[in-house]
């Protein structure tokens, strides 16, 4: 599908990267995605292929062995990958957020140690804020770090770690009371720890357990887990940036670029749903003509394509704003909100156009229908995006009286 979701002003290198990824998606991902997803099977061969393409180091600076590409290039690649299978974009996303946080906030030693291995895909990242009792309200985190000599001792339970089992490095946000007197606001008494571990399940490091995969309605193939810390000892030099109390800001910075990424996923899934619907509508006949010739169906296709275009434009705008070095929380919040809502609506319309066959597991739209809801939740729900957007608007449009 060439006509929709074009991006003006890309360099030759960007065009080359995005079209290479698109080819890979068409040949290596789309043909196997639905079968692997139904089996909830980790797509090892696809991941190996992405490693070879250098996708794990796309935004890591060249001096650390990455490709040093922009957020826009990254987001366009994610859009292509999600068009093939959203779970695969999830495998890259947490890795990308952790690499970004290291690049922005890590000490020199942390960057030198982690980034080259992350660029090669040898170390794979996950990030962990959510707990069983909280997701939106990050300030309510109860997991704790207590200083003990040159180490910190971490205790608590984390929830919903994408790539919790397959990763070997988890950026974990906990409350750290050390150095922060009673009454310090919650966001100033949190610290991100860089926790290395063995991939897999069970006790993956003394004091650290990954119990197993959470069973999900969609977004299968990629593992989502809990993480239990019980006297987990982490050396002080694995505090991200070397200073405690900055974790909340570091994580919010990571989530901000993550939101562009989720918007890009919404764009990719919606594009695929449109492709499936527009093809099906021209093959299925009712009342003596292809259903695409009924105006009601044509109107649906028109609405879907308009949503695909609008979401893509907002996602590209948010990525470009960040790439220009400016704060993009407003644009990222809007793009994430719009792209995820539109994705759900476009998928729903594609499902309706498939009639009864949309309900059959033999049709790809069945998988997309179960995947789209995750985008309404991940990296902040619609309500949280609206809170961010609203707050920022009131700052920008402050009433002067
Ligand atoms: C498949 C999957 C993968 C995930 N991966 C990760 C991961 O890798 N790392 C990680 O840290 N987390 C991850 N999450 C967690 C995700 O970020 C949270 O689920 C999400 O932030 C919402 O939090 P919650 O589920 O606790 O919902 P809650 O915060 O309990 O919210 C419940 C409802 O209340 C609404 N709400 C909450 N506060 C307000 C308010 N102030 N005003 C109005 N409405 C409000 C919400 O919008 C929502 O509708 C993942 C979740 C899923 C489902």
């Amino acid at each position: 599908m060439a006509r929709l979701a074009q991006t003006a002003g890309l360099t030759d290198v960007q065009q080359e990267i995005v079209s290479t990824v698109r080819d890979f998606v068409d040949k290596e991902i789309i043909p196997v995605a639905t079968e692997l997803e139904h089996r909830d099977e980790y797509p090892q061969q696809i991941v190996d292929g992405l490693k070879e393409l250098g996708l794990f180091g796309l935004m890591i600076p060249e001096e650390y062995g990455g490709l040093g590409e922009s957020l826009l290039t990254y987001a366009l690649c994610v859009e292509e990958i999600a068009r093939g299978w959203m779970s695969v974009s999830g495998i890259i996303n947490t890795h990308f957020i952790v690499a970004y946080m290291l690049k922005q906030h890590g000490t020199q030693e942390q960057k030198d140690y982690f980034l080259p291995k992350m660029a090669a895909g040898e170390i794979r990242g996950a990030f962990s804020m959510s707990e069983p009792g909280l997701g939106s309200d990050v300030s309510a985190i109860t997991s704790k770090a207590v200083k003990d000599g040159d180490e910190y001792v971490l205790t608590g339970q984390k929830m919903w770690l994408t790539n919790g089992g397959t990763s070997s490095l988890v950026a974990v946000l906990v409350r750290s009371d050390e150095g922060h007197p009673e009454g310090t606001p919650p966001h100033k008494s949190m610290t991100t720890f860089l926790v290395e571990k063995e991939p897999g399940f069970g006790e993956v490091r003394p004091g650290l357990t990954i119990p197993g995969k959470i069973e999900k309605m969609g977004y299968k193939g990629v593992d989502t887990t809990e993480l239990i810390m019980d006297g987990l000892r982490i050396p002080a030099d694995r505090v991200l940036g070397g200073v405690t109390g900055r974790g909340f800001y570091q994580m919010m910075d990571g989530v901000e670029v993550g939101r562009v990424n989720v918007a890009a996923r919404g764009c990719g899934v919606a594009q695929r749903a449109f492709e499936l619907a527009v093809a099906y509508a021209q093959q299925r006949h009712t009342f003596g003509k292809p259903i695409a010739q009924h105006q009601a169906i044509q109107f649906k296709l028109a609405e879907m394509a308009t949503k695909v275009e609008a979401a893509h434009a907002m996602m590209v705008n948010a990525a470009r704003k960040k790439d220009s070095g400016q704060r993009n929380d407003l644009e990222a919040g809007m793009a994430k909100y719009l792209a995820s809502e539109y994705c759900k609506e476009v998928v729903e319309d594609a499902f309706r156009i498939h009639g009864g066959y949309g309900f059959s597991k033999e049709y790809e739209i069945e998988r997309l229908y179960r995947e789209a809801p995750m985008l309404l939740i991940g990296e902040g729900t619609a309500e949280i995006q609206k809170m961010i957007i609203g707050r920022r608007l009131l700052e920008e449009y402050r009433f002067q009286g």
Side-chain angles (χ1 to χ4, degrees):
M1 246 307 299
R3 179 70 181 79
L4 289 182
Q6 300 287 307
T7 313
L10 295 182
T11 63
D12 290 348
V13 174
Q14 285 176 313
Q15 282 177 21
E16 163 104 33
I17 293 174
V18 175
S19 94
T20 304
V21 172
R22 191 177 184 88
D23 284 351
F24 181 84
V25 168
D26 285 336
K27 291 194 190 106
E28 309 291 336
I29 300 186
I30 289 180
V32 297
T34 299
E35 208 184 317
L36 289 176
E37 201 266 356
H38 286 163
R39 291 208 300 265
D40 197 3
E41 188 174 317
Y42 189 78
Q44 190 58 53
Q45 212 173 320
I46 294 173
V47 170
D48 291 344
L50 293 176
K51 236 189 245 183
E52 239 167 77
L53 290 180
L55 260 280
F56 285 96
L58 196 59
M59 264 189 83
I60 294 177
E62 284 170 306
E63 61 194 289
Y64 299 108
L67 297 178
E69 270 298 325
S70 62
L71 179 59
L72 177 61
T73 314
Y74 179 77
L76 294 174
C77 290
V78 167
E79 184 179 36
E80 294 297 342
I81 291 169
R83 185 183 140 264
W85 184 12
M86 196 182 92
S87 297
V88 178
S89 63
I91 290 171
I92 300 176
N93 182 40
T94 62
H95 178 84
F96 150 78
I97 292 180
V98 177
Y100 173 83
M101 283 167 57
L102 269 160
K103 176 173 79 117
Q104 296 298 110
H105 307 288
T107 63
Q108 195 55 50
E109 184 276 330
Q110 289 168 351
K111 291 185 212 185
D112 291 342
Y113 178 77
F114 287 111
L115 288 179
K117 295 190 184 96
M118 292 186 86
E122 282 164 32
I123 288 185
R124 301 257 305 283
F127 84 98
S128 174
M129 293 194 289
S130 306
E131 295 184 358
L134 65 102
S136 308
D137 186 6
V138 177
S139 66
I141 278 179
T142 58
S143 295
K144 261 194 178 169
V146 175
K147 186 131 202 240
D148 182 19
D150 284 344
E151 293 180 323
Y152 287 85
V153 182
L154 275 58
T155 312
Q157 188 174 349
K158 291 289 186 181
M159 185 73 189
W160 296 119
L161 278 85
T162 302
N163 299 308
T166 39
S167 57
S168 43
L169 170 66
V170 188
V172 185
L173 187 65
V174 300
R175 191 170 293 283
S176 54
D177 294 333
E178 172 252 350
H180 313 299
E182 196 128 322
T184 305
H187 54 280
K188 290 196 173 150
S189 56
M190 291 200 195
T191 298
T192 306
F193 284 89
L194 300 166
V195 176
E196 289 174 87
K197 68 173 186 67
E198 286 299 315
F201 299 98
E203 194 171 22
V204 288
R205 170 179 178 155
L208 179 65
T209 302
I210 306 286
K213 289 200 312 192
I214 299 170
E215 292 290 325
K216 297 166 294 188
M217 70 183 266
Y219 197 42
K220 295 179 190 230
V222 57
D223 50 298
T224 308
T225 72
E226 295 172 44
L227 175 149
I228 296 162
M229 300 174 289
D230 184 10
L232 170 65
R233 302 189 79 87
I234 303 293
D237 64 5
R238 287 301 170 253
V239 167
L240 179 62
V243 182
T244 58
R246 294 187 182 164
F248 185 84
Y249 299 104
Q250 294 162 343
M251 281 278 177
M252 290 305 127
D253 189 25
V255 166
E256 208 167 286
V257 290
R259 283 186 182 135
V260 175
N261 174 291
V262 174
R265 286 202 236 176
C267 293
V269 173
Q271 272 177 51
R272 185 65 185 157
F274 174 78
E275 287 171 18
L276 295 172
V278 78
Y280 186 84
Q282 292 170 77
Q283 294 160 50
R284 180 74 174 172
H285 286 67
T286 68
F287 302 94
K289 52 184 172 183
I291 59 171
Q293 295 305 324
H294 298 304
Q295 195 179 49
I297 299 294
Q298 254 178 47
F299 277 14
K300 267 200 205 309
L301 293 171
E303 286 164 13
M304 291 160 77
T306 306
K307 287 174 183 173
V308 166
E309 278 298 273
H312 178 81
M314 286 196 73
M315 179 274 287
V316 168
N317 180 47
R320 284 199 159 129
K321 184 105 193 252
K322 188 79 177 177
D323 285 335
S324 71
Q326 298 175 71
R327 190 174 164 191
N328 81 336
D329 57 343
L330 179 70
E331 292 76 10
M334 286 178 168
K336 195 272 167 181
Y337 168 52
L338 188 96
S340 57
E341 297 291 329
Y342 275 2
C343 174
K344 181 200 65 162
E345 291 168 16
V346 170
V347 167
E348 164 104 28
D349 275 346
F351 168 79
R352 287 173 192 258
I353 286 173
H354 280 74
Y357 290 102
F359 214 64
S360 160
K361 287 197 153 196
E362 279 186 32
Y363 283 74
E364 206 177 319
I365 192 64
E366 178 269 343
R367 170 170 63 78
L368 271 53
Y369 196 84
R370 290 181 289 102
E371 285 175 344
M374 153 47 187
L375 299 172
L376 302 170
I377 307 291
E379 313 287 351
T381 62
E383 287 72 30
I384 297 304
Q385 304 311 319
K386 285 189 237 180
M387 280 163 62
I388 295 167
I389 295 166
R391 227 179 359 235
R392 197 79 170 94
L393 288 174
L394 289 175
E395 271 172 41
E396 299 269 345
Y397 289 84
R398 197 182 299 278
F399 180 58
Q400 300 297 342

